[in-house]
């Protein structure tokens, strides 16, 4: 049993460094499981590797790149949706949950991928989209015609009839800023509800048949051998049955058609959603009949407030997900943030997590501007140090290990409907195309992504210099990432206590220590000036010399350099992992 509990030991040392023992982990008898030790690596399949020259990444491309991922040292891949889809939302609009989309390959290709990755010791997770299907799914087409049992598989409502004519049943809005979340269907003579695009009708989880149908989809893929799922948009699963209007948020930047115009208290995180999550966990756990069976994993996507998010972990009597994604580095941290804000992001997860549950850290995905663009390309190594060396699982979005930036996509090139919906004046804020641009493998045609005439999205113009192959040759983000992957295996990182220090307005530090294993200190300068810090102010028992274990590309230091504990110089955006160990017994030949 791993017991985790929180301890708020607040100390102000003599020079007023803020220091806090924020988290203690105790591992008694059981080993940590694969989903706790291994890194989960998100592959946006469409942009990863194209093997049939159509400009679109495919399953055979993922299979082809297994050696890269094995060498990177990650534990599992999570594939963005690969199922049959008309691609209005690039696979998050599924028209057949048991088929592979022709853009990506065939079921046989999938089986080969699964086998290849399993032989390489890497788990494979799928993206399960439970909230909605495509409007072209057979179930929806039959629901429109009221053919049982599909009649109530979706959320249908009668119109409100006013003097001006027919109106939607209430004021609920669509996430993609297109106004009402209700779409009129002439044939059925009713509105259907869609949290996302018009082409993504919401399922009705108050239909027991639908609930069972979706569990059978899970069983289909679990029987095929997948190791688990990322569950999409789970917080949107249920809406309040009495359809009350949502209150206005008062957000001055949102117009009446914008999603943020309302406060979504009746369309997100409803009590029945947590019960459904518990039922899914039971389906998933039923595949682990004995200790020898591999754990099948369950991750929840939800952009919800911290208290609502934590409930997706479940409790001791009703288990929920292994973890809901921790998006707080995406939501609450930006290029203005200082050390205190970084401390707050760390603390918001670790002080709110239910006892005995396992943390996780997400810094990027296919829905958000890349970490290098959101913060600063020079801060990528430092943020990776924080993400990978805090207690918990690391989730990496493909190519973030290279620290690449978003690709600028003009309005005339934009294809993400979330961008198209808001028009040419505002698309840059909402389009997700920039972070979905193809993976830069090398400096050849189309960055080695495709040898076809045109990739589905433009490649990043910096690909000739910033690509995977190039980064194997010199001190690079990729190399730092790999060093951190190795370092994660050490006992202090896996099992150790966490102490967080605010060393100056812009420098955050934290230490990980476990029994008599070497202790590690991470120091990161979030500011734009050179900073000097004295780690003795944080812990006066430290030796006067520390060794550099990992250094950011911009730090001016390399692994093995020695630094004076009372005078650590950090260039702007530079970061270091330092250790008290003076010998090399824990070094991994970096
Ligand atoms: C979250 C997914 O990550 C996003 O890409 C998608 O558009 C929505 N859910 C709707 O499925």
């Amino acid at each position: 049993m791993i017991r985790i509990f929180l301890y708020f030991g607040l100390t102000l040392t003599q020079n007023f460094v803020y220091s806090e023992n924020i988290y203690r982990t105790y591992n008694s008898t059981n080993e940590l499981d694969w989903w706790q030790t291994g890194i989960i690596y998100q592959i946006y399949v469409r942009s990863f590797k194209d093997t049939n020259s159509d400009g679109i990444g495919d399953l055979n491309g993922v299979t082809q790149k297994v050696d890269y991922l094995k060498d990177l040292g990650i534990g599992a891949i999570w594939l963005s949706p690969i199922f049959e889809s008309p691609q209005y939302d690039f696979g998050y609009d599924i028209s057949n949950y048991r088929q592979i989309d022709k853009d990506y390959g065939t079921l046989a290709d999938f089986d080969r991928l699964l086998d290849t990755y399993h032989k390489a010791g890497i788990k494979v997770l799928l993206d399960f989209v439970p909230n909605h299907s495509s409007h072209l799914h057979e179930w929806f087409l039959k629901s429109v015609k009221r053919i049982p049992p599909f009649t109530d598989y979706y959320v249908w409502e009668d119109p409100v009839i006013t003097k001006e004519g027919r109106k939607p049943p209430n004021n609920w809005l669509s996430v993609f800023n297109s106004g009402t979340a209700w779409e009129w269907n002439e044939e059925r003579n009713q509105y259907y509800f869609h949290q996302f695009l018009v082409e993504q009708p919401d399922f009705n989880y108050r239909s027991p048949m639908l609930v069972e149908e979706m569990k059978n989809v899970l069983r289909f893929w679990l029987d095929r051998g997948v190791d688990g799922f990322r569950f999409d948009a789970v917080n949107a699963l249920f809406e309040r049955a009495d359809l009350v209007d949502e209150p206005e948020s008062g957000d001055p930047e949102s117009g009446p058609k914008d999603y943020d115009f309302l406060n979504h208290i009746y369309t997100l995180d409803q009590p029945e959603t947590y019960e459904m999550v518990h039922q899914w966990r039971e389906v998933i756990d039923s595949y682990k009949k004995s200790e020898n069976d591999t754990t099948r994993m369950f991750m929840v996507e939800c952009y919800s407030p911290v208290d609502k998010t934590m409930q997706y972990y479940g409790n001791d009597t009703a288990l929920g997900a292994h973890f809901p994604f921790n998006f707080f580095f995406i939501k609450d941290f930006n290029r203005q943030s200082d050390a205190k804000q970084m401390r707050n992001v760390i603390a918001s997860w670790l002080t709110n997590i239910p006892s005995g549950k396992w943390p996780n850290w997400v810094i990027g995905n296919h829905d958000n501007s890349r970490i290098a663009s959101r913060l600063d390309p020079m801060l990528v190594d430092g943020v990776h140090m924080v993400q990978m060396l805090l207690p918990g699982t690391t989730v990496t979005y493909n190519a973030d290990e290279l620290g690449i930036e978003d690709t600028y996509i003009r309005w005339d090139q934009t294809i993400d409907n979330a961008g198209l919906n808001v028009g040419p004046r505002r698309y840059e804020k909402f389009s997700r195309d920039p972070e979905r641009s193809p993976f830069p493998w090398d400096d050849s045609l189309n960055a080695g992504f495709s040898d076809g005439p045109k990739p589905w999205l433009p490649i990043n113009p910096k690909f000739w210099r910033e690509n995977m192959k190039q980064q194997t040759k010199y001190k690079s983000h990729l190399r730092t990432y790999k060093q951190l992957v190795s370092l994660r295996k050490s006992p202090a990182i896996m099992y150790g206590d966490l102490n967080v220090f605010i060393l100056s307005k812009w420098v955050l530090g934290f230490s990980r220590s476990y029994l008599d294993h070497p202790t590690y200190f991470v120091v990161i300068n979030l500011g734009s000036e050179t900073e000097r810090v004295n780690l003795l102010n944080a812990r006066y028992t430290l030796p006067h010399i520390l060794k550099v274990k990992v250094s950011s590309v911009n730090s001016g230091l390399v692994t093995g350099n020695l630094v004076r504990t009372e005078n650590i110089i950090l260039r702007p955006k530079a970061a270091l992992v330092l250790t008290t160990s003076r010998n090399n017994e824990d070094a991994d030949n970096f």
Side-chain angles (χ1 to χ4, degrees):
M1 237 316 252
I2 300 155
R3 279 197 313 123
I4 296 172
F5 67 88
L6 304 166
Y7 166 79
F8 301 91
L10 243 187
T11 330
L12 286 178
T13 61
Q14 83 256 46
N15 283 337
F16 303 108
V17 164
Y18 174 89
S19 150
E20 183 181 22
N21 184 306
I22 212 169
Y23 188 82
R24 284 183 173 177
T25 60
Y26 289 87
N27 186 45
S28 46
T29 45
N30 278 5
E31 290 290 298
L32 292 177
D33 210 344
W34 64 264
W35 57 273
Q36 298 171 298
T37 53
I39 287 171
I40 295 176
Y41 185 89
Q42 180 189 357
I43 296 186
Y44 196 71
V45 178
R46 211 174 173 77
S47 299
F48 198 59
K49 173 70 190 169
D50 169 24
T51 57
N52 63 351
S53 313
D54 63 356
I56 296 174
D58 44 49
L59 293 181
N60 289 339
V62 176
T63 306
Q64 200 183 92
K65 292 296 181 186
V66 66
D67 289 344
Y68 170 67
L69 294 170
K70 194 170 162 62
D71 185 53
L72 196 57
I74 52 101
I77 52 169
W78 140 38
L79 305 175
S80 304
I82 51 175
F83 317 103
E84 190 185 287
S85 162
Q87 309 289 343
Y88 284 86
D89 192 19
F90 295 108
Y92 287 97
D93 50 322
I94 297 171
S95 51
N96 185 341
Y97 281 83
R98 291 180 171 80
Q99 262 311 333
I100 303 293
D101 192 84
K102 57 176 178 1
D103 280 351
Y104 304 127
T106 62
L107 273 172
D109 294 337
F110 177 75
D111 289 341
R112 207 165 331 111
L113 181 157
L114 194 60
D115 189 48
T116 307
Y117 274 81
H118 281 170
K119 284 192 176 126
I122 297 174
K123 308 278 188 231
V124 177
L125 308 171
L126 294 182
D127 211 316
F128 179 63
V129 186
N131 180 66
H132 45 266
S133 72
S134 158
H135 66 314
L136 300 182
H137 196 293
E138 184 195 346
W139 300 339
F140 186 71
L141 300 176
K142 289 186 171 160
S143 195
V144 167
K145 295 189 186 311
R146 298 180 195 258
I147 297 174
F150 307 101
T151 320
D152 65 349
Y153 268 32
Y154 294 84
V155 181
W156 292 101
E157 286 297 334
D158 289 331
V160 173
I161 306 296
T162 66
K163 278 199 286 278
E164 296 97 57
R166 184 182 66 216
K167 282 212 169 130
N170 61 21
N171 72 345
W172 296 351
L173 293 168
S174 140
V175 174
F176 289 138
N177 301 307
S178 57
T180 179
W182 297 96
E183 180 72 4
W184 179 249
N185 184 278
E186 207 57 57
E187 189 175 348
R188 177 151 165 158
N189 219 20
Q190 276 188 311
Y191 282 100
Y192 68 85
F193 181 66
H194 59 94
Q195 291 257 19
F196 297 91
L197 296 173
V198 168
E199 295 84 4
Q200 292 169 298
D202 268 46
F203 285 126
N204 170 23
Y205 275 85
R206 296 193 174 99
S207 153
M209 295 283 287
L210 183 271
V211 168
E212 199 46 34
E213 194 97 65
M214 294 308 277
K215 286 182 183 170
N216 284 337
V217 172
L218 291 175
R219 292 182 184 115
F220 175 84
W221 292 104
L222 289 165
D223 288 339
R224 231 176 166 93
V226 306
D227 301 290
F229 305 91
R230 172 259 193 196
F231 280 61
D232 181 70
V234 169
N235 55 347
L237 217 61
F238 279 89
E239 299 75 39
R240 237 174 90 143
D242 59 7
L243 302 179
V244 262
D245 275 357
E246 288 187 326
E248 289 180 17
S249 66
D251 174 17
E253 285 178 19
S254 296
K257 279 184 153 193
D258 291 338
Y259 185 63
D260 289 345
F261 190 70
L262 298 180
N263 197 354
H264 302 290
I265 52 175
Y266 302 135
T267 52
L268 292 179
D269 303 306
Q270 299 302 294
E272 298 103 311
T273 305
Y274 297 104
E275 164 52 24
M276 197 61 241
V277 165
H278 168 58
Q279 289 188 34
W280 285 333
R281 177 66 184 262
E282 285 187 330
V283 173
I284 288 169
D285 279 357
S286 71
Y287 282 75
K288 188 174 164 70
K289 298 201 176 65
S290 79
E291 275 307 305
N292 298 330
D293 291 335
T294 316
T295 304
R296 311 290 180 109
M297 202 218 169
F298 177 5
M299 312 181 282
V300 153
E301 187 218 27
C302 65
Y303 289 87
S304 299
V306 72
D307 57 324
K308 299 271 195 280
T309 301
M310 291 301 167
Q311 292 178 46
Y312 290 104
Y313 274 114
N315 52 47
D316 289 341
T317 48
L319 290 179
H322 287 96
F323 51 73
F325 281 143
N326 173 355
F327 289 134
F328 291 90
F329 265 114
I330 294 180
K331 295 201 303 183
D332 294 345
F333 196 78
N334 58 44
R335 47 173 85 235
Q336 314 256 348
S337 303
D338 60 11
K340 187 166 168 227
Q341 272 157 291
M342 186 168 250
R343 176 263 164 213
N344 289 347
V345 170
I346 295 169
S348 74
W349 198 266
L350 297 182
T351 59
N352 284 297
I353 190 170
S355 156
K357 302 295 181 189
W358 186 253
N360 74 96
W361 308 94
V362 182
I363 58 170
N365 59 33
H366 62 295
D367 292 328
N368 291 284
S369 173
R370 282 191 180 270
I371 183 78
S373 299
R374 246 178 27 246
L375 300 181
D376 188 301
M378 283 302 114
L379 210 48
V380 167
D381 287 351
V383 175
H384 277 145
M385 288 175 191
V386 172
Q387 180 194 27
M388 295 222 231
L389 304 182
L390 284 173
T393 299
T394 297
V395 184
T396 294
Y397 179 48
N398 59 191
D400 271 354
E401 72 275 21
L402 308 177
I404 63 162
E405 294 167 70
D406 291 339
T407 300
Y408 183 75
I409 310 282
R410 294 187 313 259
W411 168 245
D412 62 290
Q413 297 167 315
T414 296
I415 47 180
D416 178 21
N417 276 313
L420 293 173
N421 270 353
V422 296
R425 252 184 347 99
R426 294 200 302 158
Y427 85 99
E428 280 182 38
K429 184 168 170 209
F430 293 100
S431 170
R432 299 164 297 175
D433 292 333
E435 60 265 22
R436 296 176 178 181
S437 146
F439 193 108
W441 292 103
D442 54 38
D443 61 3
S444 68
L445 178 76
N446 295 328
F449 162 69
S450 166
D451 58 12
K454 195 173 176 210
W456 75 287
L457 273 175
I459 53 167
N460 193 302
K462 292 186 184 158
F463 82 94
W464 59 274
R465 189 179 65 197
E466 288 166 22
N467 60 62
M468 188 281 283
K469 193 166 165 207
Q470 194 67 11
Q471 290 205 16
T472 58
K473 296 183 187 152
Y474 55 88
K475 184 169 170 56
S476 63
H477 298 306
L478 178 59
R479 283 210 185 163
T480 307
Y481 185 92
K482 283 164 86 167
Q483 285 183 299
L484 293 169
V485 173
S486 301
L487 189 53
R488 267 181 70 76
K489 299 192 181 103
S490 52
I493 305 302
M494 277 297 121
Y495 306 118
D497 281 4
L498 168 71
N499 283 274
V500 176
F501 312 103
I502 297 179
L503 297 164
S504 74
K505 177 160 173 54
W506 296 106
V507 180
L508 183 105
F510 66 84
S511 66
R512 302 296 313 279
S513 41
Y514 183 64
L515 306 176
D516 53 0
H517 295 278
T519 291
Y520 295 104
F521 273 87
V522 175
V523 279
I524 174 169
N525 179 5
L526 301 167
S528 43
E529 274 108 13
T530 298
E531 297 271 333
R532 284 169 190 272
V533 291
N534 179 355
L535 272 189
L536 292 176
N537 286 340
R539 190 173 295 169
Y540 69 91
T541 53
L542 281 175
H544 284 267
I545 300 288
L546 294 172
K547 197 173 73 183
V548 174
K549 182 74 181 169
V550 186
S551 61
S552 64
V553 288
N554 52 339
S555 65
L557 295 168
V558 294
T559 301
N561 283 168
L562 301 178
V563 293
R564 281 176 50 223
T565 312
E566 63 266 51
N567 186 26
I568 294 166
I569 301 169
L570 287 167
R571 292 176 178 174
K573 315 291 178 198
L576 298 170
V577 183
L578 302 166
T579 178
T580 51
S581 159
R582 295 298 304 276
N583 57 37
N584 277 335
E585 112 276 345
D586 62 317
D588 311 272
N589 304 320
F590 297 146

